[in-house]
Amino acid sequence: MANLANSFLSMIKIAYPAHPYKIKTENGKELIFDTIRKQWVALTPEEWVRQNFLQYLLQVKKYPGALIAVEKEIRLGELVKRCDIVIYDNTATPLLMAECKAMDVNVNAAAAEQIIRYNISLPVRYLVITNGSYCFAFERTGKKFHLLREIPGWNP
């Protein structure tokens, strides 16, 4: 993970699909409708990345919406944290975990360390970190993590 920040050749560029997002203003705050959680949420820079990445996973990578959890609560010892996106397989086993950062946040070793800590509590095969423009994807085999050249698609 140490050379993650210098691994530009392993960064994955994402082409997001078009989607008719529902956005509204309420009490002076912008909200976006999350189709997975089926609720309005604050439209923060990180949320904008999360919503676009969700549409990429749904439309391009063909993951079923029913198997996706958003802001999944996990425990790290005494701490309670939230994973941005967790995708389960057909047996309800966690398969993929994604950490979304705002577009102005660099995807670097610190972000990788965060998702690896989450993976201790919620082991998955695939880990993804994105800031909306670029992302890194890893496959975990045993205790090792291998950089991937693309985000895996749904394979039931």
Side-chain angles (χ1 to χ4, degrees):
M1 291 299 157
N3 23 341
L4 176 64
N6 297 325
S7 301
F8 294 109
L9 295 177
S10 298
M11 276 191 171
I12 300 167
K13 180 77 173 148
I14 298 174
Y16 290 100
H19 182 72
Y21 296 100
K22 295 179 185 173
I23 298 174
K24 69 178 183 179
T25 302
E26 197 172 274
N27 298 326
K29 292 187 179 183
E30 275 193 307
L31 304 172
I32 188 167
F33 189 77
D34 183 322
T35 58
I36 300 296
R37 291 179 277 184
K38 302 204 181 339
Q39 66 185 33
W40 292 93
V41 295
L43 182 53
T44 63
E46 182 179 314
E47 190 64 46
W48 179 245
V49 170
R50 181 172 28 235
Q51 292 304 316
N52 277 274
F53 194 68
L54 280 168
Q55 290 308 313
Y56 173 78
L57 292 170
L58 292 164
Q59 295 182 46
V60 177
K61 295 300 180 176
K62 304 298 183 191
Y63 285 99
L67 298 178
I68 298 175
V70 176
E71 292 203 328
K72 168 77 176 148
E73 192 173 282
I74 61 166
R75 290 197 164 282
L76 295 173
E78 297 295 317
L79 297 175
V80 176
K81 298 290 186 176
R82 294 185 188 278
C83 295
D84 285 319
I85 300 169
V86 176
I87 301 177
Y88 297 86
D89 66 14
N90 284 329
T91 66
T93 302
L95 175 68
L96 182 149
M97 180 186 308
E99 179 62 27
C100 300
K101 300 294 184 189
M103 292 182 86
D104 62 348
V105 174
N106 287 329
V107 178
N108 57 22
E113 289 167 8
Q114 177 184 1
I115 200 166
I116 288 170
R117 281 192 306 273
Y118 289 179
N119 188 245
I120 293 167
S121 177
L122 186 69
V124 296
R125 181 173 176 187
Y126 301 108
L127 300 168
V128 178
I129 310 161
T130 185
N131 67 359
S133 296
Y134 294 98
C135 70
F136 285 105
F138 304 91
E139 182 173 13
R140 181 181 55 84
T141 52
K143 293 183 178 184
K144 295 185 179 180
F145 295 88
H146 305 280
L147 276 169
L148 299 175
R149 293 188 180 266
E150 67 178 271
I151 296 168
W154 176 245
N155 188 10

